[in-house]
Amino acid sequence: MAATSAAVGLRASAVGSGPVRELAVERRHAIVEAVLTGDPQAAIRPGRPMILARARVEAVILRGRRVHVRVPVLLIAADRRWLGLVPSQRVRLNGRTAPPRRAELLAATVFVRGPPVRLGRPSAMQRAAETVRARLRQATERLPPDQRGALPGMVVGDTSRLDPELAEDFRASGLSHLLVVSGANLAIIIGAVLGLCRFAGLGRFHAPLLAVVAVLAFVVVARPEPSVLRATLMGLIGLLALVTGRRRQGLPALGAAVLILVLIDPALARSYGFILSVLATAGLLVLAPPWRDRLRKRLPGPIADALAVAAAAQVAVAPVLVMLSGELGVIAIVANLLAAPAVAPATLLGALAALVALVSMPAARLLVWPAGLAVGWITGIARTTADLPYATIPWRGGGLGAAGLVVAAVAAVLILRNRRLRLTAVAAMAGVLIAVVALRVAAPGWPPPGWTMVACDVGQGDALVLATGRGGSGVVVDTGPDPGLVNGCLERLGVREVPILVLTHPHADHIVGTPGVRQGRAVRMALITPSGFGREARHAHGLTIRPASAGQRWSIGHLTLTIIGPPPTTPRLSPSDDGSALNNASIVLVARSPGFSGLLAGDVEIEAQRALIPSVPRVQVLKVPHHGSRSQDPGFFAAARPSISIVSAGKGNDYGHPSPPTLTLLRNLGTRIHRTDLNGDIAVVRTTTGLSVVTRQSTTRP
């Protein structure tokens, strides 16, 4: 422990000092030379798409002088040409430095300007890996979308074409480990090689050598990154212990592996992925063997083995998963058992197809067809189990949540060991089950009758729907960052016609989902901010587009919309304006229908809120501006005086939305707060006694 603490301390000292950290503290621009250490990943952020990549800075140009360094950084770029790079590529870039936002062992975050300048070629090993991965992607082109996206992920960890909604279903069902390179991949490959060697009559000397060659080939294809090497080592330890039954040797080996890996890469000490790998392996070593032995007394051997492995791994990692997500997965063990028979065929056939694709693409396409069928079974399990009621249940996040789960697990063990306590627990659980079923039967379906407004759960973004009183018709205000999510919300509501589409301002988390609104629906007109610069037009191409202005009034069915912002004095903006300027140019509108009034405030911040206070009427419902950020004016909230406040924010978002001061401000007004990150889709329903709220827990919250 002292050695690992010292290693972490040395790395923290290295990244916390030196020229790169000094530049970051001063937020200065710099020219740097860096080597990519991970695959660039595309991500949606408010305002524009961004490319994220891990890199190691090896030189900084300071006042014309080249200073050699060696520190890790996070690159954030906008140019999509960064996506064409692979790990080990050396590049030169110009960007603005800033301190890292989280407690990671990084020297800086670098906001990159323009495309990368390539300095040489990636390493031969990385070029070979990229060739195999590209050929596998080409071989899967003719598969259905879910299979096409998931198969490369299951084989080599390539999730570049995976549908985000499917990825969320894998997470909710406890199957996300299948989409990353893990020890399970290695175990399947080694098992197949040893089986073939035994079938071919090779002796004990040749079979291990061929297995080692297979491991090396697998590591090359899956990219010899630290995460792959870590998973390989952990998988080998777990497999060795399970095959030999020597748990006593497995635990010291696991401890030694952890020590060595942390000494080599101290950043692993702060990596949740590393912690999950260690815990899962420890679960296989400590919990799986005795559980397997007990289950074999009542179940066939293969079923007992599969159930013991799935349960042990899930139980071991549950406290950390709860701490990170604030959810407890209750369907994961069942989902893993159902998916288990298809994992090996998908992995083996996919790996074989990747190799064959280097020689013959037609033959590779024949191989990926049965592999696709196996993957189709797994994706079907993921989607089905994720959609089940209570596939995940809310649980307190953070350290307290993890500690609470451990206490609950200890209590469960004590109950299982005492007959009277078991009977009492069974009776209590039966009562809870009856109550839950009764509530579910009595609860209204979706959409609830009489809904007037729905805040769609689209992650970190806004998408709201207002009922017009006409069957299948609804006004949509903003469309979120993902077309699939807003389309799914509108399908659930039965919206087939959109008389007015309001795009409050040209930030990606409000307009990128527009194609999803237009999918199979008639959109009559789009309203945009008069201060914008045309970014919305790319998504609203072919629609009648009108600029909104304060004082405009629209009536559709029994719904009336009144525009109160932005003020006429708001200047026209350009793409170079910062995020606050664009937020303050948001369309702000008041919606009214019989028994309902709402203020939809876009992302306006303090300056615009103060200017709008004289125009703000008292309403029943407030869509809290800017996802509940800290930038709020108390007078704006006091003028609206809502009884219901709705915050649209993404679960676990990087911005800390909604901020605690804003939530406190709303509570002090006596308003009821509802959040999409906690409640999913939120419907405001008109009843005989006033307005009420009905929620629908979503399974697609990025």
Side-chain angles (χ1 to χ4, degrees), residues 349-415:
L349 290 171
L352 184 59
L355 296 177
V356 172
L358 297 173
V359 181
S360 171
M361 186 57 64
R365 284 175 175 153
L366 286 176
L367 286 170
V368 298
W369 180 73
L373 294 179
V375 172
W377 169 260
I378 296 170
T379 57
I381 294 298
R383 289 197 181 277
T384 301
T385 54
D387 286 337
L388 291 175
Y390 311 110
T392 59
I393 58 176
W395 193 276
R396 185 183 181 92
L400 287 177
L405 184 61
V406 172
V407 171
V410 172
V413 171
L414 295 177
I415 289 172

Side-chain angles (χ1 to χ4, degrees), residues 292-382:
R292 178 186 58 190
D293 294 341
R294 291 188 179 185
L295 289 171
R296 280 183 170 177
K297 297 176 181 178
R298 298 176 175 85
L299 297 171
I303 296 177
D305 293 347
L307 182 58
V309 168
Q314 196 65 31
V315 167
V317 301
V320 176
L321 292 178
V322 163
M323 182 173 65
L324 293 175
S325 66
E327 292 180 344
L328 181 62
V330 297
I331 201 69
I333 295 176
V334 174
N336 276 276
L337 284 174
L338 293 174
V343 173
T347 302
L348 290 175
L349 290 171
L352 184 59
L355 296 177
V356 172
L358 297 173
V359 181
S360 171
M361 186 57 64
R365 284 175 175 153
L366 286 176
L367 286 170
V368 298
W369 180 73
L373 294 179
V375 172
W377 169 260
I378 296 170
T379 57
I381 294 298

Side-chain angles (χ1 to χ4, degrees), residues 415 418-425:
I415 289 172
N418 185 290
R419 186 173 181 275
R420 290 184 178 179
L421 290 178
R422 284 202 304 270
L423 293 175
T424 302

Side-chain angles (χ1 to χ4, degrees), residues 1-251:
M1 290 298 294
T4 57
S5 298
V8 173
L10 289 173
R11 176 64 65 87
S13 175
V15 301
S17 59
V20 175
R21 177 52 68 92
E22 291 174 3
L23 289 169
V25 171
E26 298 174 4
R27 298 181 181 272
R28 291 168 54 190
H29 286 81
I31 298 175
V32 303
E33 294 179 6
V35 175
L36 296 186
T37 56
D39 283 297
Q41 300 287 336
I44 296 295
R45 292 293 187 268
R48 57 183 176 178
M50 292 185 178
I51 314 300
L52 309 180
R54 299 273 178 166
R56 182 180 65 250
V57 173
E58 296 194 338
V60 183
I61 311 300
L62 295 175
R63 293 180 291 275
R65 186 168 58 91
R66 194 167 184 270
V67 179
H68 291 277
V69 295
R70 191 179 177 86
V71 290
V73 298
L74 174 65
L75 305 179
I76 301 180
D79 195 302
R80 296 191 66 83
R81 280 172 284 188
W82 281 89
L83 290 174
L85 303 182
V86 299
S88 79
Q89 174 70 61
R90 187 180 180 89
V91 295
R92 181 185 293 114
L93 57 97
N94 184 357
R96 178 175 61 84
T97 59
R101 295 183 60 179
R102 297 182 177 180
E104 296 180 272
L105 291 177
L106 296 173
T109 299
V110 183
F111 296 90
V112 182
R113 289 182 171 180
V117 178
R118 305 188 188 212
L119 305 176
R121 304 173 67 191
S123 68
M125 186 176 294
Q126 293 288 4
R127 292 200 305 273
E130 182 58 27
T131 298
V132 176
R133 291 157 74 97
R135 298 290 284 179
L136 177 59
R137 289 194 297 268
Q138 185 180 352
T140 60
E141 285 290 345
R142 299 178 183 177
L143 294 178
D146 281 0
Q147 300 175 22
R148 184 169 63 240
L151 181 57
M154 293 189 62
V155 177
V156 295
D158 181 359
T159 58
S160 58
R161 298 189 302 183
L162 187 69
D163 179 9
E165 183 177 345
L166 179 59
E168 177 63 20
D169 287 342
F170 268 82
R171 186 203 64 78
S173 60
L175 297 174
S176 56
H177 62 92
L178 298 178
L179 297 175
V180 296
V181 174
S182 67
N185 301 73
L186 186 65
I188 292 170
I189 299 296
I190 290 177
V193 172
L194 294 179
L196 289 174
C197 290
R198 182 179 301 175
F199 180 78
L202 298 178
R204 293 185 177 181
F205 178 75
H206 296 91
L209 289 179
L210 290 176
V212 169
V213 172
V215 169
L216 293 176
F218 173 78
V219 170
V220 169
V221 173
R223 294 266 173 85
E225 298 175 357
S227 60
V228 175
L229 298 176
R230 179 181 73 233
T232 301
L233 183 57
M234 294 299 175
L236 281 172
I237 293 171
L239 180 65
L240 178 64
L242 280 175
V243 170
T244 63
R246 297 179 180 178
R247 283 177 284 160
R248 294 182 179 179
Q249 286 77 15
L251 286 175

Side-chain angles (χ1 to χ4, degrees), residues 26 84 90 153 191 231 239 244 253 260 263 274-275 284 315 327 395 467 494 616 627 662 701:
E26 298 174 4
R90 187 180 180 89
L239 180 65
T244 63
I260 293 170
L263 288 175
F274 179 63
I275 294 170
L284 296 179
V315 167
E327 292 180 344
W395 193 276
V616 172
H627 321 294
T662 296
R701 299 200 310 271

